[in-house]
Amino acid sequence: MTCMKIDLKLPFKIADISLADFGIKEMQLSEKEMPGLMAVREKYGPKKPLQGLKVMGSLHMTIQTAMLIETLKELGADIRWATCNIFSTQDHAAAAIAKNGSAAVFAWKGETLEDFWWCTEQALLWPDMTGPDLIVDDGGDATLYIHQGVLIEKNPDLLKQKYESLDMQCLIERLQITYDRDPNFWTKIASKIRGVSEETTTGVHRLYSLAEDKQLLFPAFNVNDSVTKSKFDNLYGCRESLADGIKRATDTMIAGKIVVVAGFGDVGKGCAQSMRGFGARVLITEIDPICALQAAMEGYEVLPMEEAAPLGDVFVTATGCTRIITGEHMEHMKDEAIICNIGHFDNEIEMHYLENSPDCKKEEIKPQVDKWRLKSGRSIIMLAEGRLVNLGCATGHPSFVMSSSFTNQCLAQIELASKDYDKQVYTLPKILDEEVARLHLGRLGVKLSKLTEEQADYLGVPVDGPYKPDFYRY
């Protein structure tokens, strides 16, 4: 591998700046669909709570993210941005941000892993070689970059270890260059960071693990577990964007097919509802007895993957775990079964079995749609190389549900900017969660009932909320 050199004089690196006008028009189109972000601009824009602060983002560079960037800019931030997935960038969105000068953006659809980590480092460093004050993360890549850099500076022998994944190999090669230049570089960068707000389940798991091991280097806000994120983005977003990705990629008819959904958390629930809604017979795989019982009582058949593999026509992984679909499972699948992932990372599907087995032959049908001939003599159709199908093969979640998620991100950034927190993982208070929901009701024509003082006293809650305790599960 040859590492690209960092060039901090670059104002951006994208696919095509001529796409900017298209991106700007789509951003204008999304304004009414993102009432939460527009309300944040109106309420906090004049106060500029992020004034003088450097914000780095590692999050899918889509039209919806462009709206988030423009909101953070309105709040006063100095922004640099990279994507968190090599296939998820919408090039017209990146071009719009570059043309508007809203952020120094480094992202394009179809990056290599070497490109990806170069873009991440480009976004982490300002032209004066300082780092961010705040991070907006999705999946924890920016957080990982800094933490891994600090670990290496404490123990340089980590640079000599063998790493199985190409992803990690590329990261370590970049960190080797930084270490050779300055063996305390990332330690100094980390010491200046006020905090990170994390978007997704997988990244949050990493943060809690770091905090438990006393290795978390700066405060973190768990945005994912805000109810108006996890119960909306993860559930309702996936309910719409999964089918969008599968159909754009394959034009397959879902009705009548057997769809296997691995995992019945919020993401899996949305996926299962979607596929059932199209007329599919849906099978669920689960390790958790509570989720398995929920699936059964929703009318789904629950089987282990070993039994489901020969039955399915379409497979969707939604677990956040690793090796959910293995090479052995693939070898037992029907001819031209479709496999895709909607969990954050690409390790739910054992891609290295396909890539490293001499018996497996790849034929690209079109970008992010590959036909693999297996040892069995049958073939499978792999979407987005096992990465997020809704972003690799389509445009991700609709603007409305992302408005809910990204309003939480803005509120978390304001919290981190305005208060000093310990190196722990925090969630936004319930009253803000309810406020995010409230901001989106008008767009849907929803009219709330209102408690009387008598009713509020009876329930033991304030008239204006919050209405549920923190332990309530929606």
Side-chain angles (χ1 to χ4, degrees), residues 422-434:
D422 293 330
K423 296 173 185 176
Q424 296 294 330
V425 184
Y426 302 88
T427 54
L428 289 168
K430 182 72 68 177
I431 192 72
L432 290 181
D433 222 346
E434 291 182 359

Side-chain angles (χ1 to χ4, degrees), residues 383-401:
L383 306 186
E385 297 183 12
R387 296 174 183 269
L388 285 167
V389 65
N390 57 335
L391 281 149
C393 298
T395 58
H397 293 342
S399 294
F400 186 80
V401 79

Side-chain angles (χ1 to χ4, degrees), residues 182-199:
D182 180 352
N184 292 302
F185 183 76
W186 291 109
T187 301
K188 289 182 284 188
I189 295 290
S191 69
K192 304 291 186 182
I193 295 175
R194 293 188 62 85
V196 59
S197 54
E198 171 57 51
E199 175 79 4

Side-chain angles (χ1 to χ4, degrees), residues 27 41 124 134 144 150-151 155 190 215 229 248-249 268 274 278 283 288 292 297 317 383 387 395 445 451:
M27 288 168 67
R41 294 184 194 184
L124 276 167
L134 297 166
L144 170 66
V150 171
L151 282 175
N155 179 15
Q215 292 184 354
K229 195 284 181 182
R248 288 197 202 206
S274 174
F278 277 95
L283 308 182
D288 186 321
M297 295 185 74
T317 56
L383 306 186
R387 296 174 183 269
T395 58
L451 287 177

Side-chain angles (χ1 to χ4, degrees), residues 40-108:
V40 167
R41 294 184 194 184
E42 184 178 353
K43 181 176 181 178
Y44 296 102
K47 301 175 186 177
K48 297 287 185 282
L50 303 184
Q51 189 74 49
L53 295 176
K54 296 171 292 182
V55 176
M56 181 272 179
S58 172
L59 198 153
H60 307 287
M61 189 57 251
T62 62
I63 289 295
Q64 293 73 32
T65 300
M67 293 294 289
L68 169 62
I69 291 170
E70 299 261 288
T71 304
L72 294 171
K73 185 74 173 176
E74 185 74 19
L75 301 183
D78 175 11
I79 308 168
R80 295 175 75 83
W81 210 270
T83 187
C84 63
N85 183 299
I86 62 175
F87 294 134
S88 67
T89 296
Q90 294 169 19
D91 288 325
H92 60 306
I97 290 300
K99 183 175 180 178
N100 285 351
S102 309
V105 57
F106 307 94
W108 58 93

